[in-house]
Amino acid sequence: MIARFKDLCLDASAPRSLGTFWARVLDGELADAGGDDTRVDPRSARSDAESIWVNEVPEPRAGKTRVHLDLRLPDADPAALLAAGARLVREPAGDAAWWVLDDPEGNAFCAFGAHEDTRPGPFALVVASTDPAAQATWWAGVLGGTVEHGSGSASVVGAAGFPWERWVFDGVPEPKTVKNRMHWDVELVEPEPMALIAAGATLLHEPLDEAHWWWVLADPEGNEFCAFAPRPIG
């Protein structure tokens, strides 16, 4: 294990507004993250890894959503999400027994109806991938966990720090072409990301200054993620 899952980050043109939407969706509280940035802390979270940092960026959203959350609804349909400002993209159809929606800035996510003995809220992080098995195997090598293979997909279960049921890499034909609007952060085991780079990650940015004290890297398919030095103990 080289690192553990830390949290999610979501790029936004209007972070306060988008954060407010996701706080309603996740039954969360908004926390000030400096400037116009904010953080959504779900009230029912079992760890800090369920928080989502919503950060202002200058560029508008472009391209397909390649990283999204799958949510289990507390109700039979997504009426509450639509009332909160989501846009319906697709109704359940055939084997795809879920709704596809966009948040107010056009980021897609999936919503599944309430089900007995399931907890409302996110249950999977889904990443579009041209080689799902290779991606799942790589991330299991970084964060630990078990790889499970599906039809056209592969999942990591039990990764260190990962707060949801599974991390799904879903097969798609098209490669990544633009920066992801949602990315994940990891906390390193060692003080620097040399083991990650040796494993196949690409270093995009060194820490910029004392206020931006993390490394920005990309996985083998170009998905950006941030790596933080381990927190001091005690």
Side-chain angles (χ1 to χ4, degrees), residues 33-196:
D36 287 332
D37 294 350
T38 189
R39 188 182 72 242
V40 178
D41 297 327
R43 292 185 179 90
S44 61
R46 292 165 289 193
S47 77
D48 292 344
E50 293 190 55
S51 292
I52 300 177
W53 297 74
V54 187
N55 301 320
E56 186 173 24
V57 295
E59 68 274 5
R61 186 184 176 283
K64 173 185 176 181
T65 298
R66 291 185 73 85
V67 181
H68 74 265
L69 287 171
D70 282 354
L71 310 179
R72 180 71 65 186
L73 298 171
D75 306 307
D77 61 56
L81 299 184
L82 299 175
R87 182 179 70 87
L88 180 63
V89 176
R90 193 190 70 203
E91 296 269 7
D95 293 335
W98 58 87
W99 291 265
V100 179
L101 302 106
D102 279 349
D103 73 11
E105 292 203 5
N107 303 298
F109 63 100
C110 296
F112 293 70
H115 192 275
E116 187 177 0
D117 298 327
T118 59
R119 175 177 175 249
F123 65 89
L125 178 64
V126 183
V127 184
S129 175
T130 56
D131 191 340
Q135 279 289 94
T137 299
W138 192 84
W139 276 105
V142 171
L143 300 182
T146 302
V147 177
E148 296 182 355
H149 298 276
S151 178
S153 68
S155 301
V156 180
V157 178
F162 192 78
W164 305 298
E165 294 174 23
R166 57 186 55 243
W167 192 351
V168 181
F169 294 89
D170 195 23
V172 296
E174 69 279 356
K176 179 178 178 293
T177 58
V178 297
K179 177 187 174 187
N180 291 332
R181 296 291 278 188
M182 177 177 279
H183 74 265
W184 51 91
D185 296 337
V186 302
E187 183 178 305
L188 299 166
V189 172
E190 300 295 332
E192 296 188 347
M194 303 309 179
L196 266 175

